[in-house]
Amino acid sequence: MSKALTVRPPSPYQPPWADVCIIGIAGSSGSGKSTLSHAIVSQLNLPWVVILSMDSFYKTLDEESSRKAFRNEYDFDSPSAIDFDVLVQRLRDLKAGRRAEIPIYSFAKHAREKETTSIYSPHVLILEGIFALYDQRVLELLDMKIFCEADADTCLSRRILRDVAERGRDIEGCIKQWFAFVKPNFEQYVEPQRKVADIIVPRGVENRVAITMVIQYIERKLIQKSQSHRAALKKLGQSSEDD
Ligand code: CTP
C-alpha cells in the first residue's frame, strides 16, 4: 500500500505551547488576589506567565443597568454578572495552544473598552477573580485552586482606598455597594469556594510559606509537562524510524 494512503492514529505529540498550566485564585474583593498573583509571577522567574483578571469578563450592561451602576445600585457581585461562557471558551483556546482575544474592562465606565488584548501561549496562566473557583467548566481546566483569605475589615478598607484612587468612585458609593451587594454575595457565593480550593492562603502576599509552596508546585507541574512532551517527541521519532 502506498504510504500516502496509510491511515495513521492521532499523533501522541503535543506542542510545548499547548496544555498551559492554569492557576485559579478566588477570594473576597480586596482580599489581595491581584497582589498575590503578582508575587507568584515575580517569584516564578519564567518568561511566559500571564495574569488574567476575571474583570475582563463582566457582561455588557444595557442603558438602565448602566445608570444603576453609576448610582452603585447594580449587583456586580453575583455570578450572573460574569460571562462565564466566553471565559470558558477563552480558557479552552489557551489550553489548546490557540490565541485568545481578551476584553479590556473599564471600572470607571462600567463597560468594556473597544480594544481587546491578545494572549498567546503562556507557560502559566493565573486566573484571578472573585469567582475564579465558581464554574465547574473552569474548575476542570485548573491545575491548582487557591482561595485568598483576609479579614472583612481589611478587605473593605483596601477596597475603598483602591476604588477611590483607581476606579473613579467616592467613599459613600463604595460603602453603599459593599453592604448592598459585596458582603451578602461574599457569604452566598464567594466564601463557599473555599471548599473546592486546594490551598487557602491567609494573609495573602505576606504569607511567604504559602507562596513558596505554590511556586514549587507549579515548577514540578512544568517539569512533568516538559518530560511528557519530550517522551512524546521521542516516541514520534521512533515511530517515524519504523515507517
Ligand atoms: N466591580 C465594580 N464595578 C464594576 C465591576 C466590578 O465595583 N463595574 C466590583 C465588584 O463589586 C467586585 C469587584 O469589582 O466585588 C471585583 O474586583 P476585586 O476582586 O475587588 O479586584 P481584584 O483586583 O481582582 O482583587 P483584589 O482586590 O483581591 O486584589
Side-chain angles (χ1 to χ4, degrees):
M1 201 198 313
S2 128
K3 268 202 164 186
L5 292 175
T6 310
V7 179
R8 288 168 181 273
S11 164
Y13 177 70
Q14 277 267 307
W17 53 86
D19 198 15
V20 51
C21 179
I22 309 183
I23 313 297
I25 305 185
S28 165
S29 171
S31 60
K33 301 178 294 293
S34 316
T35 320
L36 181 62
S37 306
H38 283 97
I40 294 171
V41 172
S42 68
Q43 286 186 42
L44 257 179
N45 200 18
L46 280 170
W48 293 292
V49 187
V50 168
I51 298 173
L52 178 58
S53 169
M54 284 186 72
D55 305 335
S56 300
F57 300 93
Y58 271 112
K59 287 178 185 163
T60 307
L61 302 183
D62 59 24
E63 269 182 39
E64 166 65 14
S65 304
S66 177
R67 274 196 291 276
K68 276 188 171 176
F70 281 101
R71 296 195 303 264
N72 303 96
E73 287 169 7
Y74 185 83
D75 185 358
F76 287 104
D77 289 82
S78 152
S80 61
I82 302 277
D83 196 338
F84 280 104
D85 291 344
V86 175
L87 169 67
V88 169
Q89 191 51 57
R90 298 299 181 268
L91 291 178
R92 285 183 181 156
D93 284 343
L94 289 165
K95 197 82 175 172
R98 291 189 290 268
R99 191 179 72 188
E101 288 303 317
I102 308 295
I104 299 174
Y105 193 71
S106 162
F107 284 93
K109 298 178 194 161
H110 298 290
R112 290 180 189 166
E113 302 284 7
K114 283 195 197 77
E115 304 80 32
T116 56
T117 185
S118 304
I119 299 186
Y120 192 55
S121 312
H123 286 156
V124 179
L125 181 83
I126 300 177
L127 173 72
E128 70 90 5
I130 53 174
F131 294 123
L133 307 182
Y134 185 81
D135 188 291
Q136 188 54 39
R137 296 165 299 170
V138 174
L139 289 173
E140 281 161 19
L141 294 166
L142 298 179
D143 291 273
M144 186 181 208
K145 306 174 198 83
I146 299 174
F147 190 89
C148 181
E149 199 152 72
D151 296 338
D153 44 5
T154 307
C155 295
L156 174 58
S157 43
R158 277 198 197 130
R159 178 167 163 131
I160 292 173
L161 292 174
R162 179 201 60 202
D163 283 7
V164 171
E166 297 168 20
R167 295 186 179 177
R169 311 295 166 89
D170 58 39
I171 295 175
E172 290 75 13
C174 287
I175 293 172
K176 176 176 164 185
Q177 200 180 336
W178 179 271
F179 287 103
F181 305 116
V182 186
K183 189 171 186 280
N185 281 320
F186 171 77
E187 283 154 14
Q188 190 173 352
Y189 301 113
V190 180
E191 215 252 344
Q193 294 174 102
R194 290 170 105 252
K195 291 201 197 85
V196 295
D198 299 313
I199 67 164
I200 292 164
V201 179
R203 304 185 312 285
V205 75
E206 290 163 29
N207 195 330
R208 316 301 311 163
V209 175
I211 293 174
T212 305
M213 280 168 55
V214 171
I215 301 292
Q216 285 170 351
Y217 181 84
I218 297 173
E219 285 171 350
R220 268 206 310 278
K221 269 268 169 188
L222 291 178
I223 290 169
Q224 279 165 10
K225 283 181 196 236
S226 74
Q227 278 169 347
S228 62
H229 165 61
R230 255 186 251 126
L233 267 182
K234 205 167 155 200
K235 206 166 156 199
L236 202 66
Q238 277 165 359
S239 70
S240 63
E241 272 171 28
D242 297 344
D243 287 346

